[in-house]
Amino acid sequence: MDAQSRGRAEGAVPADQWVLNPQTGEYELRLEGAVRPPTPSVPRQRTRQAPGPRPGGPRETDPDPRDRDGDPAPDGPRDSHRRTRRQPKRSGRRNALMWTGGVMGLVLVGGSAFAYYWWDRLGGNIDTVDIGDVGSDTVLGDGPANILVIGNDVRTGKGNEAYGNRDNVTGHADTTLLFHVAGDRSNATGVSIPRDLMTEIPDCETRQSDGSTETVPGSQGTTRFNESYGVEGRDPGCTMRTVEQLTGLDVDHFMMFDFNAVKTLSTAVGGVEVCLEQPLKDTSGGTKLDLPAGKSTLQGEEALSFLRNRHGLKNESDLDRIGMQQKFVASMLRRLKEDTLGSPTKMLDVADAATKSLTVDKAIGSPGKLLTLAEELGKIDLKNITLMTLPVVDNPAEPKPVTVVPDPAKAPQVFSMLQDDVSFTEVKKQKKKKAKDKQDALLKGARAEASAVRVDVLNGGGPQGAAGETVTWLQNSQGVSRSANQGNAPAKVSRTQLVYAPGQADQARKLADLTGLPAAAMKPTAEAGGDGPMTLTLGPDFTRAGVPIATPKKVDVPQSRADEKMCKG
């Protein structure tokens, strides 16, 4: 009998009566009054062979399940310091919930062989992808963090035939949520990116199974966002790069789930409550979804059908479906927090279900690292989690629009607020943001004379003729005679930015004063020098020369909060 069945069998002894014998490597029953065998200082090393290719790529060698950070075992290479293994706290560990976008639960229960078994099992569930130099190599550093949650539309697995089963196909980026975590951990914002958004996909370097790298060419012009993953060998790192180019944000990590995750997770939490103003039926015949008006509790196949359905919605569009998905996510978050946290058994079921369908980047590819992430995210109150869809408009290039493009006025405002870590909710007593303070410090210091400022001006998304207008204004009105119009930028930017060398900081501050640049627009490079001109690239937030570029405090777009109940009463 394995450790799982021991712990769950009716009439079985408590899980902490089972201990690992370091001599045999087997679990043994600790009898009343017996001395518990010591835990070996160096655990056994296990290497698993992946059962076969999965959409996320090859599986890594599992980390030591007792190492909180997933670092190499004590006899291997380590960082300059080793984190001391902390003793488990009953309430703290039980209340550690790992979620992002409401689709993942993970818990560490320490102090027994049963826990060791689960720790080892959860580590074996997780798939990882080496995404190279994109993203962060730390779990969560100081300051804001951005996590990309990718819903992969691969249709392998039992019951997925109704959605067009495509065996042995990687899938595409179907439902994607950019989850921005505030630097002070007081709030978070989830922005859904429509799959049919037309955007540019940049070249991306991918890591192959043999360790080599291959560059996948970007799109020629704009294409659907969902092609940022799974097309021509693009991996999740390509999706991260696409989002970075679109938003101007640095994406730290990704988490990817498939169709099966919705089914297993909704079942593990005991169902997710939804409310409908009118009956909802899949008239396409693809699924058997048929829900009455009012309250329903969904799990398994029915939950997936609900999230995938577009028929019967207002415009039967992907945007309508995204709104419904966000309400489902919020309802699952509340279910996890209200009904699951107090039950270790339920939490283990949720963690097992989630990790079986989970693929992440290597930087967070172990239970210990995911738990570290969980503890930080768990600090955020549900009422301070904002959910929204990226503001979009119909694609003007199509006679009968079927795709969308970013709203030229509202999308840059949303990106600007995220870049400057501005909360979309009213958060009381916000802590001081170290990262924002560091950025603000770039505007503090000496200023050069206007005549000493050298700058090339490019148009990276501003109004037509913006670069020329700005140079004329700088030269004739502000005394910046050494400014030059360089025309259109090689690629569009999400917001105006000033790139300069460390030795040009005084020039940069002066130009920021003259043009009204916020601290977030300052982009110092690590390269020495300063002999050449700085580069000012005007983005969609630029309106006209002489008008300051300021970060908005709020933006008029539909939003919801994670604590808002879908079902009233």
Side-chain angles (χ1 to χ4, degrees):
M1 182 182 291
D2 63 20
Q4 179 187 15
S5 55
R6 290 190 191 108
R8 292 186 174 184
E10 186 175 356
V13 296
D16 60 3
Q17 296 297 308
W18 294 93
V19 296
L20 179 69
N21 187 326
Q23 304 300 322
T24 65
E26 299 295 332
Y27 293 104
E28 298 176 358
L29 178 64
R30 181 181 65 183
L31 301 178
E32 186 71 25
V35 177
R36 183 172 181 169
T39 301
S41 58
V42 180
R44 294 179 296 144
Q45 299 295 302
R46 299 181 180 181
T47 302
R48 289 184 177 83
Q49 183 67 35
R54 287 184 59 172
R59 195 188 295 264
E60 285 189 300
T61 301
D62 290 333
D64 177 0
R66 293 178 300 170
D67 190 326
R68 282 291 303 270
D69 284 330
D71 292 331
D75 58 346
R78 301 187 64 89
D79 294 333
S80 59
H81 68 280
R82 177 181 178 184
R83 180 177 295 180
T84 303
R85 183 185 177 195
R86 292 177 285 181
Q87 294 301 315
K89 298 179 181 179
R90 289 175 181 261
S91 60
R93 292 293 172 83
R94 288 184 178 181
N95 289 331
L97 173 65
M98 170 57 201
W99 50 259
T100 300
V103 289
M104 178 176 168
L106 177 63
V107 65
L108 169 64
V109 181
S112 68
F114 182 64
Y116 184 95
Y117 165 84
W118 272 100
W119 186 253
D120 190 48
R121 174 168 172 169
L122 294 180
N125 285 349
I126 303 168
D127 279 333
T128 62
V129 173
D130 185 351
I131 54 176
D133 60 358
V134 66
S136 172
D137 57 1
T138 60
V139 177
L140 274 183
D142 292 335
N146 297 294
I147 302 166
L148 195 65
V149 182
I150 305 171
N152 181 359
D153 68 356
V154 64
R155 292 163 168 85
T156 57
K158 182 179 179 181
N160 293 331
E161 296 85 358
Y163 311 101
N165 203 330
R166 298 199 302 243
D167 288 327
N168 301 319
V169 174
T170 304
H172 301 113
D174 186 60
T175 299
T176 303
L177 183 83
L178 176 63
F179 199 71
H180 174 82
V181 184
D184 62 4
R185 310 298 184 246
S186 65
N187 66 91
T189 305
V191 180
S192 295
I193 302 175
R195 53 166 290 158
D196 293 329
L197 176 77
M198 296 299 288
T199 188
E200 294 180 356
I201 299 175
D203 295 349
C204 66
E205 190 176 81
T206 60
R207 296 292 177 91
Q208 307 301 304
S209 57
D210 61 0
S212 64
T213 61
E214 180 179 321
T215 299
V216 180
S219 61
Q220 298 296 319
T222 61
T223 189
R224 278 181 167 88
F225 173 81
N226 71 329
E227 295 185 12
S228 64
Y229 171 73
V231 175
E232 299 182 5
R234 294 185 181 119
D235 63 11
C238 298
T239 308
M240 292 171 67
R241 286 183 171 91
T242 301
V243 172
E244 289 184 339
Q245 180 169 290
L246 172 68
T247 66
L249 293 161
D250 293 329
V251 180
D252 299 285
H253 303 292
F254 84 87
M255 296 179 178
M256 184 164 65
F257 300 85
D258 58 25
F259 277 16
N260 297 312
V262 175
K263 295 188 285 188
T264 56
L265 270 172
S266 59
T267 301
V269 300
V272 178
E273 191 176 83
V274 299
C275 281
L276 301 174
E277 295 181 359
Q278 56 187 11
L280 181 62
K281 185 174 182 177
D282 182 0
T283 56
S284 69
T287 68
K288 298 179 180 179
L289 184 67
D290 188 0
L291 301 176
K295 185 184 300 185
S296 296
T297 300
L298 309 180
Q299 63 182 16
E301 292 289 348
E302 197 171 36
L304 179 58
S305 297
F306 176 78
L307 291 179
R308 293 293 304 162
N309 178 68
R310 287 192 288 189
H311 302 283
L313 302 181
K314 184 178 180 181
N315 297 311
E316 296 196 350
S317 69
D318 187 50
L319 298 179
D320 291 333
R321 182 168 60 178
I322 287 174
M324 192 166 62
Q325 290 170 346
Q326 289 175 351
K327 293 178 180 178
F328 185 92
V329 164
S331 186
M332 179 179 282
L333 276 174
R334 289 191 299 275
R335 186 63 179 260
L336 284 167
K337 205 156 191 175
E338 294 170 3
D339 300 336
T340 307
L341 284 176
S343 171
T345 301
K346 286 184 179 180
M347 292 175 73
L348 287 172
D349 286 342
V350 169
D352 192 38
T355 53
K356 281 180 178 177
S357 302
L358 174 67
T359 302
V360 299
D361 56 280
K362 293 179 70 174
I364 54 173
S366 73
K369 291 179 178 180
L370 288 174
L371 180 63
T372 299
L373 188 60
E375 291 171 338
E376 287 297 302
L377 299 180
K379 298 174 183 178
I380 305 172
D381 195 306
L382 291 181
K383 68 181 181 182
N384 292 327
I385 299 176
T386 303
L387 299 174
M388 69 176 67
T389 301
L390 174 67
V392 295
V393 296
D394 288 339
N395 187 356
E398 297 173 343
K400 186 178 180 180
V402 294
T403 62
V404 294
V405 296
D407 186 307
K410 295 180 180 180
Q413 291 180 316
V414 171
F415 298 153
S416 181
M417 289 180 67
L418 295 176
Q419 291 160 356
D420 284 354
D421 201 21
V422 177
S423 174
F424 285 81
T425 63
E426 293 184 6
V427 182
K428 296 180 179 179
K429 297 181 179 179
Q430 273 190 305
K431 299 176 183 177
K432 206 170 184 180
K433 301 180 180 69
K434 293 182 180 178
K436 191 172 187 304
D437 289 345
K438 184 177 180 180
Q439 190 71 25
D440 289 342
L442 296 176
L443 292 177
K444 298 177 180 179
R447 266 72 171 162
E449 294 295 329
S451 59
V453 174
R454 296 183 62 193
V455 60
D456 286 341
V457 183
L458 298 90
N459 190 353
Q464 186 174 359
E469 175 195 346
T470 299
V471 169
T472 299
W473 176 78
L474 285 172
Q475 293 179 347
N476 297 338
S477 301
Q478 306 301 315
V480 184
S481 58
R482 305 173 75 182
S483 55
N485 175 15
Q486 298 297 335
N488 291 329
K492 290 184 178 180
V493 294
S494 61
R495 68 180 301 179
T496 300
Q497 59 184 31
L498 176 63
V499 179
Y500 59 95
Q504 298 172 318
D506 58 342
Q507 295 183 48
R509 296 187 193 105
K510 181 62 176 180
L511 187 63
D513 292 343
L514 297 174
T515 58
L517 289 179
M522 309 292 280
K523 304 293 181 183
T525 66
E527 301 175 1
D531 295 333
M534 302 181 293
T535 302
L536 175 64
T537 305
L538 306 175
D541 53 350
F542 176 86
T543 55
R544 59 188 176 85
V547 177
I549 300 171
T551 302
K553 299 301 179 184
K554 61 180 180 179
V555 58
D556 183 20
V557 297
Q559 304 170 31
S560 62
R561 304 286 179 262
D563 67 330
E564 295 175 1
K565 291 188 176 181
M566 195 174 182
C567 302
K568 307 296 182 182

